[in-house]
Amino acid sequence: MPDIIRRLPGILIQWITPNLRDFWDTRQLKIWLVSLLIGVCVSVAAIMFRELIGLFQWPWLRDMSENVASAARATHWSVVLLAPAFGGLIVGLLLQHWLPPRRTGGIADVIEARALGGRNIDFKMGIKSSIVTALSLGAGASAGREGPMVHLGATISTSIAASLRFPDWGRRTLLACGGAAAVSASFNAPIAGVLFAHEVILGHYAMRSFVPIVISSVFGTLLPRMWFGDVAAWSVPEYNITSYFEFPAFALLGLTCALVAVLFQFALISSDYIARNITMPLWLRPAIGGLLIGAIALYYPEVLGVGYEATDKALKNELPLTLLLALLIAKTIATAITLASRFGGGIVAPSLYLGAMAGGAFGLIAAKFLPEMASSQGLYSILGMGAVAAAVIGAPISTTVMVFELTGGYTLSIALLLVVSIAAGINQAIHGRSYFQWQLESRGLVVQNGPHRYLVRNTRVERFMAPLAEGETPEPHNPEKDPPAMKPSDTLEHALRMFDQGGHARLPVIDPNQPDRIIGWATQVAALRHFNRALIDVSEEEHR
């Protein structure tokens, strides 16, 4: 026994030392400190972004608050009709001449950056995108602010991490830190921010990434709480489930919300397809879209802007059934027009909005059939919020927690989990993907099938080719006699197919500007080695 006691310190040192060495070598402590800085910077940017929306809103509504519908009702009808069109004209001119991507950024761009190693977000373009989005929402565009804020947070985190030369997993983690801080700052929901970053941006829950993301999310909410107040996004009365016999109704609500989510996404996709096939100057698109939104707002001003005021009323049982159903349709159309017209904005807030309207309408209808057993309309609105948003953004866990934090109601957990799971599952069965994944697919990036899919499609030949030695004369390439050649910009998928189809073990890589010059060689062994190493790195990152 004494011998064991004497040996115990040495055993503990041998056990702990490799872990501490790995912790230090992977620069995790530095990533923790940088994540704190990112949280603070993103929270400041989130405050400025929200105030900028109000500043652009002031000239036509004389109100900087989120009570857009009430302010619009007190404004002359001609202003409500024309202000979104005038704002759209400015947005169109900025897209045409000031923002080279010709569109604003959102959550899909952040997921794409994560797939590409935490890169691919330009700071200057990110800031410009945020300004154009703030102008869009301030002018009445029917969209959300959360997606653009996540993009702004990712822009800031990428810029901070760019000069520090972190490994790929560190860059991706810091990218997620920016997204977590943005969600936390926008919704005053730090737990949801942490889960959103893991579930939507990273796609895993690795412990090594958890600590810095929590740090960023916590510090991301502190300054907004001091600035805007320590309150949830909506003030909701305390609701309770009337009877456990209501759970079949909750299951039916999940089915209803799944239908709303699927139709909403198809409306967004089809309107985007139609807009792309209409020949029209880019600068004119938002102006025409703004005019259509203004026309809808003449009858339903609740569709303007982020829509928090209408959502709040639905949660407080203040909207009648006919208005709930009308807003469900009007908001879907207005948001589809907004995004198809190239206004800046996201789909998180509209999804919550539609869920609140669908849930409230369902609750009122249920109360007519079973008045003694049905819970409050507001309770159904809360459940609907979580269900539609979870289905659209593809994040059932973080959305469930987000609804808890936004409404302050934790007593509805069982019902909320049931409704969310049914809606998300049916949406997956019908639509097969989240809205963000559809956006990425339209750009040729498939992420829902696993890392092997986007690795072969986004890894370039230049990453594994062997260039000619310095001073070595480029060899000529004769397409008629020599093996087929590749370009440095060709994908790994294309390279593997060429190796397989021709039975080649080695292929030349040519200069894209001078196709008759060989500038290097690529081997099948090097391509497969690079692919396998990338898959191993991804697996290690997701499990450490």
Side-chain angles (χ1 to χ4, degrees), residues 489-521:
S489 59
D490 286 340
T491 65
L492 174 60
E493 182 179 38
H494 175 73
L496 292 175
R497 189 177 294 113
M498 289 186 65
F499 286 128
D500 182 64
Q501 289 177 349
H504 302 288
R506 180 172 179 260
L507 288 175
V509 182
I510 58 174
D511 187 337
N513 297 319
Q514 295 179 285
D516 59 339
R517 297 179 57 195
I518 297 176
I519 59 174
W521 294 87

Side-chain angles (χ1 to χ4, degrees), residues 53-78:
I53 293 174
L55 189 63
F56 286 130
Q57 183 179 296
W58 170 261
W60 67 288
L61 289 180
R62 293 296 185 265
D63 191 315
M64 293 182 63
S65 72
E66 293 175 341
N67 299 321
V68 177
S70 298
R73 283 196 176 90
T75 304
H76 195 270
W77 68 269
S78 60

Side-chain angles (χ1 to χ4, degrees), residues 84-104 128-129 131-133 135-136 139 280-290 341-344:
F86 181 73
L89 180 61
I90 300 176
V91 167
L93 292 172
L94 291 175
L95 291 175
Q96 183 80 43
H97 302 290
W98 193 56
L99 197 62
R102 304 291 187 266
R103 62 174 178 81
T104 58
K128 288 182 177 181
S129 172
I131 294 173
V132 173
T133 300
L135 173 59
S136 299
M280 182 188 302
L282 175 61
W283 61 268
L284 190 58
R285 290 181 183 272
I288 294 177
S341 301
R342 303 289 183 92
F343 275 109

Side-chain angles (χ1 to χ4, degrees), residues 238-247 249-250 363 366-367 370-380 383 411-412 415:
E238 184 175 348
Y239 295 122
N240 294 298
I241 298 173
T242 301
S243 170
Y244 286 113
F245 290 105
E246 256 187 301
F247 274 79
F250 295 150
L370 298 170
E372 296 180 356
M373 294 177 56
S375 298
S376 168
Q377 165 199 343
L379 182 144
Y380 281 89
L383 301 179
T411 61
L412 312 177

Side-chain angles (χ1 to χ4, degrees), residues 344-366:
I347 51 95
V348 177
S351 299
L352 293 169
Y353 182 112
L354 294 177
M357 301 304 153
F362 186 95
L364 288 176
I365 294 172

Side-chain angles (χ1 to χ4, degrees), residues 403-422:
V403 172
F404 284 154
E405 289 191 282
L406 292 181
T407 61
Y410 287 83
T411 61
L412 312 177
S413 57
I414 301 176
L416 182 60
L417 287 172
L418 176 65
V419 176
V420 165
S421 62
I422 291 174

Side-chain angles (χ1 to χ4, degrees), residues 111 114 176 195-206 541-542:
I111 300 173
R114 184 267 300 169
L195 295 177
F196 180 89
H198 282 284
E199 191 173 19
V200 176
I201 298 177
L202 282 183
H204 62 74
Y205 288 88
E541 178 181 338
E542 293 178 356

